[in-house]
Amino acid sequence: MAQAIDLSPKKQPQQARARASVEAMLDACTRLLVDEGYEAVSTNRVAEVAGVSIGSLYEYFPHKQSLVAAALARAMREVMDEVGRSLRTALALPHQPHDGIDHWMRGMIAALEQRENLLRVALREVPFFWSIPEVREFSRTLQKFGKEGQYKSQRVIHFEDPEASTYLLMNMTWAAVLQTVLHRPAHLSRERLTRTLVDMVLKLL
Amino acid sequence: MAQAIDLSPKKQPQQARARASVEAMLDACTRLLVDEGYEAVSTNRVAEVAGVSIGSLYEYFPHKQSLVAAALARAMREVMDEVGRSLRTALALPHQPHDGIDHWMRGMIAALEQRENLLRVALREVPFFWSIPEVREFSRTLQKFGKEGQYKSQRVIHFEDPEASTYLLMNMTWAAVLQTVLHRPAHLSRERLTRTLVDMVLKLL
DNA sequence: GTAGTACCTGAGTCCTTGCTCGGGTTAGCT
DNA sequence: AGCTAACCCGAGCAAGGACTCAGGTACTAC
């Protein structure tokens, strides 16, 4: 099992030139993850693709894991931002609750779809993915979003155990969205799954 | 991304002695996966732990992946058997439907719990996990179980799109069960989650 | 100008690991 | 007993990959 490693970067770039180099490294790492999977990511190749030398890479990242973690953390922050934005516009919609749920689901699906291959690799191949702070935070934020949505739309799930049901609802929904994007069977279109998912969530509220 | 590889074994053991060796290899591989994760599994170590030589290992497995795939396939067959058994006893219960769903959920959770760490590693670290035939079959069988349960218990989800809703229901349920076992937060007991999950599934039927 | 710091370079070291291969041992059959 | 095929052995090869280090180049401050 993946044991705890320090995933933090080594030192921060000070000048613009160096910041560009680090960005290039992260871009290259992301590209390799997407195109060839985690096993194919070697520090030498990342440096090559980024157009910097291997020595420069180790200026800013103490080891391979911290590089991959930084690339994934950046992506997760982007996803989280988009999901948060789509929640806020969903809550501002006049025709609650169907339209709100619908908008939010589509927002989440769109956010994932843009990074489909990266997320697939991250979730299925990167051993320390769940140790990345941004990923842990993502789960927490998702829970917060769930409560926020219920609160603002004046709807609460009425089960014996509200805390457990909110938790499960969010996780099931998230899993279904992930499934829809990453693992959808050919005979079920994204549209059909989205519509049905919205119906199911409404039924649970 | 993980490309397609031939995951089938090389040749079958003929004599009892050889069958025992192969079993020992699979056991050792499973143990290493559970204890130290996919990255720590090297063919040399598997042979060492199994008490056979590296040469013998390559008699029966053409490469590392086929060994890991065989170990995981064996585990998946066991899980599938248990889940199937618990579904059948659930359907035979007199007090439908709450008791049935409850029994089935608990059966699934128990089946996963026994192999908690192995599944965690398989799902999160093994790049070719979803290419293993037994895993693909597992997903299909789960869908079949879902339809079977609905049919025999005379309950069908009444949504506009029955096919998509069955698909989603099974996947969401499965995801929630997995979540409960592999990633449960400390403040929510397994029992609370199980009970709430049963309620939610019932509400959707 | 010059000192100091940030930044960059890439050949090379060391280690791990997947896998081979030549040769030995055991089981089963006639 | 003798023959064949199944089975087992493990030193070692070849490749690849994480990471170092000794020495350069570009900024910045005074």
Side-chain angles (χ1 to χ4, degrees):
Chain A
M1 268 212 283
Q3 67 284 29
I5 343 165
D6 185 20
L7 297 174
S8 52
K10 201 177 200 168
K11 74 174 190 192
Q12 296 297 323
Q14 307 285 327
Q15 305 168 6
R17 175 174 54 143
R19 273 190 294 273
S21 293
V22 170
E23 283 297 302
M25 293 171 202
L26 295 179
D27 289 345
C29 183
T30 305
R31 237 188 105 71
L32 283 173
L33 281 170
V34 167
D35 291 347
E36 310 184 30
Y38 179 64
E39 291 201 284
V41 173
S42 79
T43 50
N44 287 286
R45 286 198 67 201
V46 169
E48 187 192 324
V49 172
V52 299
S53 85
I54 180 66
S56 298
L57 196 154
Y58 280 94
E59 269 314 283
Y60 300 102
F61 301 99
H63 44 238
K64 185 186 166 182
Q65 285 96 327
S66 68
L67 166 66
V68 175
L72 293 178
R74 194 180 60 166
M76 291 309 283
R77 275 192 298 268
E78 289 167 8
V79 172
M80 198 152 55
D81 284 353
E82 283 185 39
V83 171
R85 258 200 305 279
S86 80
L87 172 66
R88 249 151 299 171
T89 54
L91 289 174
L93 282 182
H95 310 295
Q96 292 283 349
H98 175 282
D99 291 359
I101 301 284
D102 189 78
H103 187 274
W104 192 21
M105 294 294 144
R106 285 174 200 277
M108 288 208 285
I109 288 174
L112 296 189
E113 218 161 32
Q114 277 176 31
R115 294 166 245 277
E116 182 180 336
N117 293 325
L118 181 62
L119 287 170
R120 208 195 316 273
V121 170
L123 285 164
R124 295 188 184 165
E125 302 180 21
V126 178
F128 52 87
F129 182 65
W130 294 93
S131 312
I132 300 173
E134 278 82 356
V135 176
R136 294 185 172 295
E137 201 198 319
F138 183 74
S139 305
R140 277 199 303 276
T141 307
L142 214 58
Q143 291 296 322
K144 217 187 57 193
F145 283 167
K147 282 183 198 143
E148 202 177 321
Q150 284 180 31
Y151 175 72
K152 290 213 184 157
S153 66
Q154 316 281 3
R155 299 190 140 243
V156 192
I157 342 186
H158 41 289
F159 284 104
E160 288 176 28
D161 190 333
E163 196 184 356
S165 31
T166 307
Y167 173 81
L168 278 177
L169 177 68
M170 283 310 288
N171 271 309
M172 290 169 84
T173 309
W174 181 250
V177 169
L178 264 182
Q179 189 82 5
T180 305
V181 174
L182 300 188
H183 208 58
R184 178 173 58 78
H187 67 287
L188 290 172
S189 74
R190 210 197 57 194
E191 183 55 31
R192 277 175 73 183
L193 287 176
T194 309
R195 262 207 287 266
T196 311
L197 180 57
V198 172
D199 284 354
M200 292 179 86
V201 172
L202 281 172
K203 214 165 201 176
L204 282 175
L205 288 176
Chain B
M1 271 214 280
Q3 69 284 31
I5 343 164
D6 186 21
L7 298 174
S8 53
K10 201 176 199 168
K11 75 175 189 192
Q12 296 297 322
Q14 307 285 327
Q15 306 169 5
R17 176 177 51 143
R19 271 190 295 274
S21 294
V22 170
E23 283 298 302
M25 293 170 202
L26 295 179
D27 290 345
C29 183
T30 305
R31 238 188 104 71
L32 282 174
L33 281 171
V34 168
D35 291 348
E36 310 185 28
Y38 179 65
E39 290 201 288
V41 173
S42 79
T43 50
N44 287 288
R45 286 198 68 199
V46 169
E48 187 192 323
V49 172
V52 300
S53 86
I54 180 67
S56 298
L57 195 154
Y58 279 94
E59 269 314 286
Y60 300 102
F61 300 99
H63 44 240
K64 184 187 166 182
Q65 285 95 328
S66 68
L67 165 68
V68 175
L72 293 178
R74 192 178 62 166
M76 290 309 283
R77 276 193 297 270
E78 290 167 7
V79 172
M80 198 153 55
D81 284 354
E82 283 184 40
V83 172
R85 259 201 305 280
S86 81
L87 172 66
R88 250 151 299 173
T89 54
L91 288 173
L93 283 181
H95 310 295
Q96 290 286 348
H98 176 281
D99 292 359
I101 300 284
D102 189 80
H103 186 275
W104 192 20
M105 294 295 144
R106 285 174 199 279
M108 290 208 285
I109 288 174
L112 296 189
E113 218 160 32
Q114 278 175 31
R115 291 165 248 276
E116 184 180 335
N117 293 326
L118 181 63
L119 286 170
R120 207 194 316 272
V121 170
L123 284 164
R124 294 188 185 167
E125 301 180 21
V126 178
F128 52 86
F129 182 65
W130 294 93
S131 311
I132 300 173
E134 277 82 355
V135 175
R136 293 183 171 295
E137 201 198 320
F138 183 75
S139 306
R140 278 199 302 277
T141 308
L142 214 58
Q143 291 297 320
K144 220 186 58 195
F145 283 168
K147 283 184 196 141
E148 201 177 322
Q150 285 180 29
Y151 176 71
K152 290 212 185 157
S153 67
Q154 314 282 4
R155 299 188 141 244
V156 191
I157 340 183
H158 40 289
F159 282 105
E160 287 176 29
D161 191 334
E163 196 184 355
S165 31
T166 308
Y167 173 80
L168 279 176
L169 177 68
M170 284 309 289
N171 271 310
M172 289 169 85
T173 310
W174 181 250
V177 169
L178 265 182
Q179 189 81 7
T180 305
V181 173
L182 301 187
H183 207 60
R184 179 172 57 79
H187 67 287
L188 290 172
S189 74
R190 213 198 53 197
E191 183 56 30
R192 277 174 73 184
L193 287 177
T194 309
R195 260 208 286 269
T196 310
L197 180 57
V198 172
D199 284 354
M200 291 179 88
V201 172
L202 282 172
K203 214 167 203 177
L204 283 175
L205 288 177

